[in-house]
Amino acid sequence: MTAERGVTGYLPLRLLLTAGVATRTRLDPLRVEAERVINGRAQRGMLAAALRDAGRDRELDEWVARGGVWFAPAFPRLEAGVAAGGAGGVVERTTVAVPAPATLFRSGADDTGDAVDLERVQPSPGVAYRALGGLLAPEAGYRAAVAATAEQYLGRGRGDGTGRGAPFFTTTLDAGQVFETRWQMWAADGARLDALAWRVVDFLTEARGRLVLGAAGARAHGGEVRVDLAEDAVRPGRPVAADRIGLTADRDWPAGEERDLVLLSPALVCGAGGGFHPRALVAAVARRFPGTAVEVVTAHVEAQAVGGYHRGYRGPVAERWAARPGSVVRLRPNRPLTTEQVRALEAHPLGERAADGYGQFAVLAVRERVVAPVEVAPVPGGGGIRLADGTEARIGAASPAGWLQSDRDLGRLYDTLLANAAAEPVRAFARRLAAVDDDLRGLTPSLLGRLREVAAAPHPTAERALRALADAVGERDAPGGPGPRLRGKALEKVADARVRVAGHRVPVRDWFAELARDPRRWWDRHAGADARLASALAEALVAVDLTHPTGVGADLTDAARDWRRRHAARLALLLVATWLAELARNLREAAGRDGEGRRGES
């Protein structure tokens, strides 16, 4: 540790997924599964990558390498105002959903009934019970309904000379969902603790747009995330919270009262023999109460394997047994514990790898019965207009005049409206450019697919994506080029290809180079010269332009023209990506027709 461990606190952060997130948790290369919780190790990698890319070596060493920041799992955040059940019910107070205590069970196949604690409630004879599981709000009857999508992809070749990639499945957390994490920090006093927290918050704000979570090294996994301070979890003017999870109940622990120590993340606890043993959790908990006689009333500890695969190394690592999140150790102390003592107990995780978020727990009141837990989606609850990436725009009653200078939320909505409206005219233009002729027949669908991989890979900006595409087909390696480039016959095929743009046949390589060099100038010269595109684009933009007086016609407002200039690279990237996809499809269809013709002649 670099910081003196005088005081500790938790930096509450709100994570909004603006793209799907997959965190690889298994070695099995054919199945990449994402947990419904974003683990601390993934967040540690996110911060480390952002610091490295920004050249912040000092902070990288202090916060990540030396453990100045202890990371924590990010749980689904159930925000106030979000729908909860039928009859117009809503979440009244923002909370998080943590692993449900392993002592809670439901009867039979009932998915909507009450959950009961079978350590407290006598089970009914002849009734089969099953664990509640999932994620449950600790002080409310809400369960988190985290949305995920299962997809199949073709992995990259393994460099064995065959060039063949293996198919694999992935389950990704869908975009538009919100999570909350609380990074733990230590300092000599409260002022230094606040200063450290503000430094982290300032960097996360600075790195917005460059933060990536999970297995996002390939385009299939997205991973973009927006991280902000959860201001509703802290007092005004302070960046740190006192509790590991937000609780409203009194945290004083009277003597003789039973409470549950519930694991929030896997705990790597060593047993008497020196190896990791989940059941050693009970003894580890008992040792946390020096000078206090604590009775272990009951314990329900389950095991799970952690490790097995390291994304950075892209290979296997040791797999160890850990106590599963949701495991419960029920305790009864013989003397009262104050709120400060309970918080000090929670501040020291159980077992190893605390900086990665392992071994975290919370002391919670025993819940004998949870009445019919209602499923709630972890989506933003601001009540604004929700955009495709999960962010929201809130529009006040003021006139749209002057929005560009005064209302950032309205500006984001305006950008999204125009971008969605411009997409189809640009794609239609790309489909016309993708008509197959003799100058393009040398290209192949697989070659075009490789170029699509370059264009679709994660890039900070559309300009960087266009530059990577130009470098991929360039004659020489670009200094510090961001991605792969074609070689040999593939490069020769691209060099020979010509595309018809604005009535002229232009080498594909020159087309890409001009796009990357000055996308705004290229768009004005070539795309603007196409009457069909210009008319369709203007009509589409006018229809959604909030500053247009009527929303009808082909005359763009100054705001729309300015938007088109500022987003020329974004439109050009959409054009090229669509052209690559459509040309590949057309070439496959042409090859199929040629094959049928030859079979007919024979």
Side-chain angles (χ1 to χ4, degrees):
M1 290 285 296
T2 58
E4 297 181 40
R5 300 180 66 170
V7 296
T8 188
Y10 305 93
L11 174 64
L13 298 172
R14 180 181 183 268
L15 279 62
L16 172 61
L17 308 186
T18 57
V21 170
T23 52
R24 189 165 190 170
T25 57
R26 287 187 176 183
L27 173 61
D28 184 356
L30 297 182
R31 191 165 187 83
V32 182
E33 293 185 348
E35 298 174 344
R36 269 41 177 188
V37 171
I38 302 172
N39 61 60
R41 176 177 162 188
Q43 298 169 57
R44 189 180 191 183
M46 173 194 74
L47 182 62
L51 289 169
R52 180 196 60 200
D53 293 344
R56 305 283 286 272
D57 294 339
R58 177 172 172 266
E59 288 82 358
L60 178 62
D61 181 72
E62 176 186 349
W63 298 347
V64 181
R66 296 184 179 274
V69 176
W70 284 5
F71 299 84
F75 299 111
R77 179 179 160 98
L78 312 181
E79 299 195 340
V82 173
V90 297
V91 176
E92 296 181 356
R93 184 185 69 87
T94 298
T95 184
V96 296
V98 300
T103 52
L104 290 177
F105 290 81
R106 268 181 170 161
S107 60
D110 185 6
D111 288 328
T112 59
D114 297 355
V116 298
D117 187 333
L118 292 185
E119 300 292 340
R120 286 280 192 92
V121 178
Q122 185 68 25
S124 301
V127 176
Y129 290 86
R130 59 188 177 88
L132 175 64
L135 300 167
L136 183 71
E139 295 181 324
Y142 302 134
R143 294 186 74 193
V146 181
T149 301
E151 298 174 283
Q152 183 179 17
Y153 293 97
L154 183 65
R156 295 178 178 177
R158 298 182 176 277
D160 54 3
T162 64
R164 297 175 181 174
F168 66 92
F169 290 89
T170 177
T171 303
T172 59
L173 302 178
D174 291 350
Q177 301 183 97
V178 285
F179 292 75
E180 183 177 310
T181 183
R182 298 198 175 197
W183 293 355
Q184 187 175 3
M185 301 176 179
W186 300 84
D189 52 53
R192 295 183 184 182
L193 183 66
D194 284 359
L196 172 60
W198 281 125
R199 285 174 59 201
V200 175
V201 171
D202 290 343
F203 174 76
L204 292 173
T205 303
E206 173 191 326
R208 182 168 295 172
R210 294 182 283 114
L211 298 173
V212 178
L213 266 175
R219 66 180 178 86
H221 297 112
E224 290 82 4
V225 60
R226 177 174 174 174
V227 183
D228 298 291
L229 176 67
E231 296 181 358
D232 55 358
V234 295
R235 298 198 303 270
R238 287 209 67 193
V240 296
D243 291 303
R244 188 172 289 284
I245 57 176
L247 299 171
T248 59
D250 182 13
R251 308 227 57 200
D252 287 342
W253 191 351
E257 180 180 305
E258 295 181 8
R259 290 199 180 176
D260 286 343
L261 187 149
V262 181
L263 272 188
L264 304 178
S265 59
L268 289 163
V269 185
C270 289
F276 292 106
H277 198 295
R279 290 295 302 180
L281 177 71
V282 179
V285 169
R287 290 194 296 269
R288 288 302 176 88
F289 295 85
T292 302
V294 176
E295 177 187 355
V296 177
V297 179
T298 186
H300 192 123
V301 181
E302 298 183 359
Q304 74 171 52
V306 298
Y309 185 87
H310 193 288
R311 176 178 168 260
Y313 301 145
R314 295 189 179 181
V317 294
E319 192 171 53
R320 299 179 174 89
W321 286 107
R324 184 187 297 275
S327 295
V328 172
V329 181
R330 186 161 297 167
L331 304 168
R332 183 191 297 124
N334 70 344
R335 67 177 179 87
L337 298 176
T338 64
T339 295
E340 289 70 22
Q341 289 174 315
V342 173
R343 288 171 174 166
L345 178 68
E346 293 176 340
H348 297 83
L350 296 162
E352 300 187 4
R353 295 181 63 182
D356 280 337
Y358 285 83
Q360 297 185 2
F361 61 90
V363 177
L364 304 176
V366 178
R367 304 178 73 180
E368 289 189 3
R369 183 180 299 271
V370 181
V371 179
V374 177
E375 290 196 344
V376 179
V379 296
I385 299 175
R386 191 171 301 152
L387 308 182
D389 62 358
T391 58
E392 290 189 338
R394 299 175 180 84
I395 303 176
S399 168
W403 60 267
L404 190 59
Q405 293 78 22
S406 61
D407 195 330
R408 188 171 65 177
D409 283 338
L410 184 56
R412 291 193 297 110
L413 173 62
Y414 187 81
D415 283 349
T416 302
L417 289 173
L418 266 63
N420 291 342
E424 184 50 38
V426 172
R427 291 191 181 106
F429 180 51
R431 285 191 286 269
R432 295 201 304 273
L433 295 182
V436 177
D437 58 26
D438 291 339
D439 286 335
L440 293 174
R441 287 186 179 274
L443 301 176
T444 63
S446 61
L447 173 56
L448 296 170
R450 292 170 62 185
L451 295 176
R452 284 183 65 200
E453 290 276 353
V454 175
H459 294 286
T461 62
E463 289 83 352
R464 290 284 296 274
L466 292 171
R467 169 52 56 193
L469 193 59
D471 292 342
V473 300
E475 295 182 4
R476 296 182 299 274
D477 288 332
R485 68 180 296 270
L486 302 180
R487 302 180 186 278
K489 293 184 178 180
L491 188 61
E492 294 176 4
K493 291 178 180 180
V494 174
D496 294 338
R498 302 287 189 275
V499 59
R500 181 181 290 275
V501 182
H504 302 284
R505 292 194 178 277
V506 180
V508 170
R509 175 186 287 168
D510 294 347
W511 182 34
F512 288 174
E514 188 176 357
L515 276 171
R517 188 164 49 250
D518 193 344
R520 184 180 302 176
R521 180 172 177 268
W522 181 92
W523 191 262
D524 291 340
R525 283 183 54 195
H526 297 289
D530 187 281
R532 291 173 61 186
L533 172 62
S535 174
L537 186 59
E539 183 179 347
L541 295 181
V542 166
V544 299
D545 186 355
L546 299 178
T547 65
H548 197 280
T550 64
V552 179
D555 296 328
L556 295 179
T557 62
D558 291 340
R561 290 192 187 93
D562 179 65
W563 180 90
R564 191 178 60 182
R565 286 193 297 270
R566 288 187 291 109
H567 292 273
R570 182 178 177 182
L571 297 175
L573 182 60
L574 175 62
L575 171 66
V576 172
T578 306
W579 179 79
L580 291 169
E582 290 296 324
L583 180 58
R585 182 178 63 83
N586 292 340
L587 288 171
R588 282 192 293 267
E589 292 178 354
R593 289 193 298 270
D594 292 345
E596 291 176 0
R598 286 193 294 270
R599 286 194 297 271
E601 293 174 0
S602 61

